[in-house]
Structure formats: structure tokens, C-alpha cells
Amino acid sequence: MIKTPYVLFLGDAPDPLAAKLAQGITDWRPESSIGQIRLPGCRADMGLPDMTPRAALAAGAKTLVIGVANRGGIISQAWHDTLVEALEAGLDIASGLHSLLRNESRLAKAAGANGRELHDVRLPTTAYPIADGKPRSGLRCLAVGSDCSVGKMYTMLAVEREMHQRGLKASFRATGQTGILITGNGVPLDAVVADFMSGAIEQLTPNNDPEHWDLIEGQGSLFHVSYSGVSLALIHGGAPDALVVCHEPTRKHMRGLPEYPLPSLEDVRDSALSMARVVNPNCKVVGISINSSGMSEAKATAYLGELEERMQLPCIDPFRYGAGKLVDALQSYQAQRV
Amino acid sequence: MIKTPYVLFLGDAPDPLAAKLAQGITDWRPESSIGQIRLPGCRADMGLPDMTPRAALAAGAKTLVIGVANRGGIISQAWHDTLVEALEAGLDIASGLHSLLRNESRLAKAAGANGRELHDVRLPTTAYPIADGKPRSGLRCLAVGSDCSVGKMYTMLAVEREMHQRGLKASFRATGQTGILITGNGVPLDAVVADFMSGAIEQLTPNNDPEHWDLIEGQGSLFHVSYSGVSLALIHGGAPDALVVCHEPTRKHMRGLPEYPLPSLEDVRDSALSMARVVNPNCKVVGISINSSGMSEAKATAYLGELEERMQLPCIDPFRYGAGKLVDALQSYQAQRV
């Protein structure tokens, strides 16, 4: 178990998106973080008090969580001094990066010398089966994206919050490191060995009450050439009854791939749906979730209205306006099925 | 390096498909295998002399290759006595299974005691990058399947053989254990960590002469819920100029998934093509490769004729009739592009 409260390490994050992990914890588990640690040049800010590792410990923090990621998930050399300082001060460290804390000799040595723990939540902790494609009881909704980092996790967390407020049975199912740090469990899908990807998602979303919704965090995009295989494994392992298409309308090109334009929402809808129907012929796209954080209020409202007209589906920014419309759509889909 | 010649261990293979690995080595590197070892109940036969481990060593074998696979890639307890016998006789062992030889304590102990080597070709031996989706010089052809085990590797090996006979520049690119044992290198894609799948395939098919063809072994199927993510990573990492759709027409359901019918060839063609065009807008489906091993000569000929009419594409069983038609189609595609 990772001890709370956290202090969030934002490092030298080149932009706010690079600190997505820290932002997710801040938004969905605000009670767990008491401060942030930033290095010179950091362009991310959680709105938490800036602290040194020693001050964080004095304020009650138990664990430094690495809340920043770079391409490839490397533990930057520029972070080492601060991380060692944290271990020496008496903090544990938790990380979801591909590169492991335990493999950095300075960190491993400092952790050992100071009796601190290094938590690498990146790594799967269990062996997953190969998917068998068998139908399961209960209902499942999966977020699929036009791109990476467009709000798939937030959408499903907002749907869960709204469902719980309505007294419905629902579980957010984390498939990435942020989600796992928020909920305490899940599948770190991008670190799973290829053959077991969809089997891991089947295991994450087992048989359940007929009215229970698994709200599955999506990953990547069928149209993102670096990660599309992960996205398809989620569709086939999750066997969703319902899809929510997620999109960030100000994005100029696919994240990390300047040569690649974003797909149309129609293409995302059609590709995801045809793939989902291989495993669940009843699957429907129930709505569209827009990350409108880059738009003014007026622009967002206008855009959502136009999009509803164009797609003939409920379109909402669930973080800005709540997930009510999406939950309405899921409940009406559920009612039709019974 | 794995020492040749091999003796092929067929174990208790429940059917010939389970010994696909042994069959691949036998068909494409016949000079490397001098015999086979079978256990009671074995339903596979390479047409090689049956041997005990000791007789294989006496006949000159250097390595026992595990040529049989079961679901999940486990090293069966029923094989242990024979494998230990082989190590004690003086043979190395090579395996492409998910479960590793080195993790079986009896085998590790016997190998150590007898100075023998255990080769686990299943495991990646290098770290792969995340795919960057950048265009590369040279031409690439990928085999995509309606299902697993429908002849994708054979098709690309047959195309390579035919291209070499015509004096064309071409390289078979192995993405599975059999292919790796045949050609000596490649990417064991199903054992690669999810995030690096398409990057591994980019690395396997780097910049090359403008007229050089990479002939990429396919894996799984976009329609096989257990392995579809691997198939999509191959499409996006391989960035193919040309696709060959592979199919086994007597297959009753998706391999290992009795509830799942096979997709139509039109669906395979359209899904694979639309996904390939995300990364390579020039991509074309150039032909269809049929594994007609389950059909009489007359039936196969009739089927291929009907299919050509229906699909308006060259359709051939390249193992039975040679890959000439497919290479004709690839050369004509290449000529149109220049």
C-alpha cells in the first residue's frame, strides 16, 4: 500500500499535459495531496503550496508521487538530486513511469540507506490470462478517444461520480497509472505483455450484477500509431455495451506525432463500433465527451450544440458541466435492453 | 546462437496445428532438422525419423527445439522427463513458449549439471522504442489474417522465396517464434510490452533501398479478440504499402474461440486497409493468400477461381502453387508507384 498524503513532484514538466498524472490525483482525490515540488523551468502547477521535500515531510506527507511523465517514461537525470533528497528526508517515492525507480542505483541505494520504499505502480503485479472472449454478466462502458490525453479517464471518473450520486451501481476501472494511483487498483495496460492485454481487461471487468456498470478507462486511440494496439485490446477485452467517444477539439495533430492529423469523430465512432461489435453485437455509441478546457465558455457551448446536431448524440464536457447527459444516455440504453 | 542441426520435440501435440513451430522449421529450413521426438498421444508428424534424445545426439543433433505449443504457452509437466533426458544426453534446448525453460527448476538444474544451454527465444533481447510514425524508404508488405494460424508466415516466406528467385531485393521479417527460429532474428511481438509493440515493428523494418521489400509476418487478426491489439500494432508499426489477406476457408470458428465466427474477407480487407491508411495513405490490398491444405486439388482450384471473381484480386495458395501471382501483383503495384 502506498501511504498518503502525497506531495506531488512536477519536476521540469515542459507543459501542463506532461503533469497529467499529478492533475488527475489533484482533481479526483484532492484530500490526498498536501503540496507540490517543482524544479526550475517547470510549466505545470497544481495550485498546491510549493514545498521542499523536507517541508513536505514536516507538513505530514508520507510519499512523493512522481506526477510528471516524459516521452518514453524515463526517470530524468535532472530529477535525481531532489528524489534522493526526498528519500533522505524520510519520504517514500511512488512512480508510474516505464523506467523503474528500483533500477536507478542512486535511488535504490538512498532508499535502502534510509529505510524508505520505492513503489513502481507501472508494473503489473499479477499474471494475466489470455482472453477467452466469453460473455460476462453486468454492463460495461468504455471511453474511446480520437487521440491520447483527450479526457478518457476524466470522462469515466465523472460518469462514476454521477452514477453514484444517482444511487446506481458503478465502478471506475483504471487501466493506467494515474487511475491506479487514484483508485488503488487496476491494470497498467501499457506495461502488460502483448498476448495478455485483452485478457487483463477481461479480468479487470468480471461477471457482475446485471445492473452494475463497469466504467472502463480508455487508453490511446485506434488512430494513434504508437498505441493503437492497446486501444483495440481494450475494446475486445472490455466487450463494451456502450462507448463514449472522447475528443479535444483544439488539438492540432495527434499527440507526439506532428505529421498526423486527428481523425474525424465519425471515423472514431465507426471504427470503434465495428471493432466492439465483433465481441458485443449490442454495443452502441451513447455519447460524445468533449474536453473543452482550451475553449471559452461561449465557444464551448456553441461547439457542443453544433456537435450534437452533427452527430445526433448527447455531447458534453463532463468535467466542466457534469456527466448528467452521459448518464441519462446510459440509463436510457439500459432501459431499452431490459 | 542456437546450434544446428535440431531434433524437433513434438510432445503430446493434440493436433497438427499445435506443432506449427516444428512444421515451419521443417518446411522452410529442412536442412536443419534430423529427427523428431514424440510422446504417447502425439497427433503431429513432421515425416522425420522418430528418435530418443540419445539417438538424436548420436545422429548429430545439437539442440532439441520445442516444436509444439499449447494455449498459454506452458511447458507441460508431461514433457519434463524427456527434456531432462535430452539435457543429460548432451543436447541444448530451444523454446519459443511464453513459459521459460530457465524458470523450470528441474530443467535449469539439469542444464547446469550437464553444461547445456537453455534458449528462450520468446523473450525480446533488446529494448524497443515507442513508435514515431515517421515515413521510411523502401517498400513493405504485411500479411493480415482472418484468424490466427491461417498461413501468414508461410505466405511471406513464399513471397520471399519467389522474389529472390526473380532477383528482387526482399527480406522476410519475423514477428513470431517460428519465424525467428527459421531466420535467426526478428521481434517476438506477442512478448513485447504493449507500449512498444509498434515501435518494435518500426525498428524491424527500417529505412532501406527504394526497391527493397520488407515482407512482414503477420500475427493474429483484427477480428480475434485475444490478439487483435498485436495485429493492429503490426499494421501501424509496419506502415505497409501492400497488404496480403490470408485465410483458411475450412475454419469453422475463430481459433480457440468456439463462439466466434470468422469475419468475411471483405471485412478483413476493409478494416485492415482503413487502419493501414492512417499511417500509409498509399496502402493497397494486392492479393489474397488461401491456406487450402484442408481441400482437395479440385476443390481448391474451384474455390480460388470463385474467390478471384468475387474479390477482384489475385487469389492463390502460395504454399501449394507458389507465390508467383502475389509477386506479380506486388511488382505491378511497385511499377505503378514509380
Side-chain angles (χ1 to χ4, degrees):
Chain A
M1 282 303 300
I2 301 170
K3 299 193 204 89
T4 53
Y6 301 153
V7 58
L8 300 176
F9 177 75
L10 309 185
D12 45 5
D15 58 44
L17 261 180
K20 191 171 74 148
L21 187 107
Q23 192 66 55
I25 296 170
T26 307
D27 290 335
W28 298 102
R29 214 158 67 174
E31 70 281 9
S32 340
S33 304
I34 58 163
Q36 63 189 17
I37 297 175
R38 300 195 292 170
L39 299 180
C42 181
R43 294 237 165 95
D45 185 357
M46 296 303 121
L48 294 167
D50 282 299
M51 296 179 167
T52 62
R54 205 159 292 279
L57 187 86
K62 302 276 190 243
T63 304
L64 178 152
V65 173
I66 297 189
V68 55
N70 46 32
R71 220 175 129 77
I74 304 303
I75 297 169
S76 166
Q77 284 297 324
W79 304 347
H80 277 217
D81 286 350
T82 309
L83 299 181
V84 168
E85 198 184 321
L87 292 165
E88 288 173 349
L91 294 167
D92 293 342
I93 301 183
S95 162
L97 297 174
H98 265 295
S99 291
L100 302 183
L101 296 166
R102 68 186 75 160
N103 292 343
E104 302 288 327
S105 59
R106 273 188 75 196
L107 302 183
K109 204 178 290 179
N114 293 280
R116 305 320 319 162
E117 283 195 76
L118 301 177
H119 298 280
D120 288 301
V121 308
R122 161 68 45 178
L123 287 190
T125 50
T126 53
Y128 300 113
I130 287 180
D132 65 16
K134 294 210 191 299
R136 283 155 285 160
S137 54
L139 295 156
R140 283 160 198 86
C141 175
L142 170 68
V144 294
S146 58
D147 194 2
C148 303
S149 308
V150 294
K152 294 182 288 291
M153 183 185 77
Y154 273 49
T155 300
M156 290 296 103
L157 283 163
V159 168
E160 184 196 43
R161 189 174 275 173
E162 177 69 20
M163 282 191 164
H164 286 171
Q165 278 164 4
R166 296 189 189 185
L168 303 172
K169 294 178 192 165
S171 309
F172 173 78
R173 299 299 188 186
T175 62
Q177 285 69 32
T178 308
I180 293 171
L181 283 167
I182 290 172
T183 62
N185 62 60
V187 169
L189 187 58
D190 57 9
V192 170
V193 165
D195 248 6
F196 303 100
M197 294 186 298
S198 51
I201 301 306
E202 287 187 347
Q203 194 176 73
L204 181 68
T205 59
N207 284 319
N208 216 317
D209 292 347
E211 325 85 58
H212 176 275
W213 281 97
D214 275 331
L215 305 167
I216 310 170
E217 180 191 0
Q219 294 294 334
S221 165
L222 288 177
F223 294 83
H224 194 295
V225 300
S226 312
Y227 309 115
S228 54
V230 175
S231 308
L232 185 52
L234 266 161
I235 292 175
H236 282 165
D241 301 280
L243 297 171
V244 174
V245 173
C246 299
H247 180 56
E248 202 282 72
T250 69
R251 192 71 56 90
K252 297 278 184 286
H253 57 75
M254 296 298 279
R255 183 153 170 80
L257 304 175
E259 299 87 351
Y260 288 80
L262 266 73
S264 73
L265 289 178
E266 288 82 352
D267 281 349
V268 178
R269 175 196 65 195
D270 295 345
S271 296
L273 194 57
S274 72
M275 282 293 114
R277 285 185 172 163
V278 169
V279 56
N280 189 337
N282 293 321
C283 186
K284 275 185 70 171
V285 175
V286 295
I288 297 183
S289 173
I290 296 298
N291 174 352
S292 70
S293 57
M295 291 172 147
S296 68
E297 182 83 24
K299 206 158 174 190
T301 313
Y303 177 82
L304 289 167
E306 284 161 26
L307 198 61
E308 288 208 333
E309 186 63 30
R310 175 179 133 204
M311 303 298 290
Q312 295 291 303
L313 283 168
C315 299
I316 194 72
D317 181 335
F319 190 60
R320 201 166 190 167
Y321 304 110
K325 268 197 185 188
L326 294 174
V327 175
D328 291 348
L330 287 165
Q331 287 195 277
S332 117
Y333 168 73
Q334 187 173 356
Q336 282 163 27
R337 284 197 51 174
V338 175
Chain B
M1 283 302 302
I2 302 170
K3 298 193 205 91
T4 54
Y6 300 153
V7 59
L8 301 175
F9 177 75
L10 309 185
D12 44 5
D15 57 43
L17 262 180
K20 191 171 76 146
L21 186 108
Q23 191 67 55
I25 296 170
T26 307
D27 290 335
W28 298 101
R29 212 157 72 173
E31 70 282 9
S32 344
S33 305
I34 59 164
Q36 63 189 15
I37 297 175
R38 302 196 290 171
L39 299 179
C42 180
R43 293 239 166 93
D45 184 357
M46 297 303 121
L48 293 167
D50 283 300
M51 296 179 168
T52 63
R54 205 159 290 278
L57 187 87
K62 304 276 189 241
T63 304
L64 178 154
V65 173
I66 298 189
V68 54
N70 46 32
R71 220 174 129 80
I74 304 303
I75 297 169
S76 164
Q77 285 297 324
W79 306 346
H80 277 216
D81 286 349
T82 308
L83 298 181
V84 169
E85 198 184 322
L87 292 166
E88 288 174 347
L91 295 167
D92 292 343
I93 301 182
S95 162
L97 297 175
H98 265 296
S99 292
L100 302 183
L101 296 166
R102 68 186 74 162
N103 292 343
E104 302 290 326
S105 59
R106 273 188 75 197
L107 301 184
K109 202 178 290 177
N114 293 278
R116 305 320 320 162
E117 284 194 77
L118 300 177
H119 299 281
D120 287 301
V121 307
R122 161 70 45 180
L123 286 190
T125 50
T126 52
Y128 300 112
I130 287 181
D132 65 16
K134 293 209 191 301
R136 284 155 285 159
S137 53
L139 295 156
R140 283 160 198 84
C141 176
L142 170 67
V144 295
S146 57
D147 193 3
C148 302
S149 309
V150 293
K152 293 183 288 289
M153 183 186 77
Y154 273 50
T155 299
M156 290 295 103
L157 283 163
V159 168
E160 184 196 43
R161 189 175 274 175
E162 176 69 19
M163 282 192 164
H164 285 171
Q165 277 165 3
R166 294 187 190 187
L168 302 172
K169 293 178 192 165
S171 309
F172 172 78
R173 300 299 189 187
T175 62
Q177 286 68 32
T178 308
I180 293 170
L181 283 168
I182 290 172
T183 62
N185 61 62
V187 169
L189 188 58
D190 56 9
V192 171
V193 164
D195 247 6
F196 303 101
M197 293 186 297
S198 52
I201 301 305
E202 287 187 347
Q203 192 177 74
L204 181 68
T205 60
N207 283 317
N208 216 316
D209 292 345
E211 326 84 56
H212 175 276
W213 282 97
D214 274 331
L215 304 167
I216 310 170
E217 180 190 358
Q219 295 293 335
S221 165
L222 288 177
F223 294 83
H224 194 296
V225 301
S226 313
Y227 309 115
S228 54
V230 175
S231 308
L232 185 52
L234 266 161
I235 292 175
H236 282 164
D241 302 280
L243 297 171
V244 174
V245 173
C246 300
H247 181 56
E248 204 281 74
T250 68
R251 193 70 58 91
K252 297 278 184 284
H253 58 74
M254 297 298 279
R255 184 153 169 81
L257 305 174
E259 299 87 352
Y260 288 82
L262 265 72
S264 73
L265 289 178
E266 287 83 352
D267 281 349
V268 178
R269 176 195 65 196
D270 295 346
S271 297
L273 195 58
S274 72
M275 282 293 113
R277 285 185 173 162
V278 169
V279 58
N280 189 339
N282 293 319
C283 187
K284 275 186 69 171
V285 175
V286 295
I288 297 181
S289 174
I290 296 298
N291 175 353
S292 70
S293 57
M295 293 172 145
S296 69
E297 181 84 25
K299 207 157 175 191
T301 313
Y303 177 81
L304 289 167
E306 283 161 27
L307 198 61
E308 288 209 334
E309 186 64 29
R310 175 177 135 204
M311 304 297 290
Q312 294 291 303
L313 283 169
C315 300
I316 194 72
D317 181 336
F319 190 61
R320 200 165 190 168
Y321 303 111
K325 268 195 184 187
L326 295 173
V327 176
D328 291 348
L330 288 165
Q331 286 194 278
S332 118
Y333 169 74
Q334 188 173 354
Q336 282 163 26
R337 285 196 51 175
V338 176

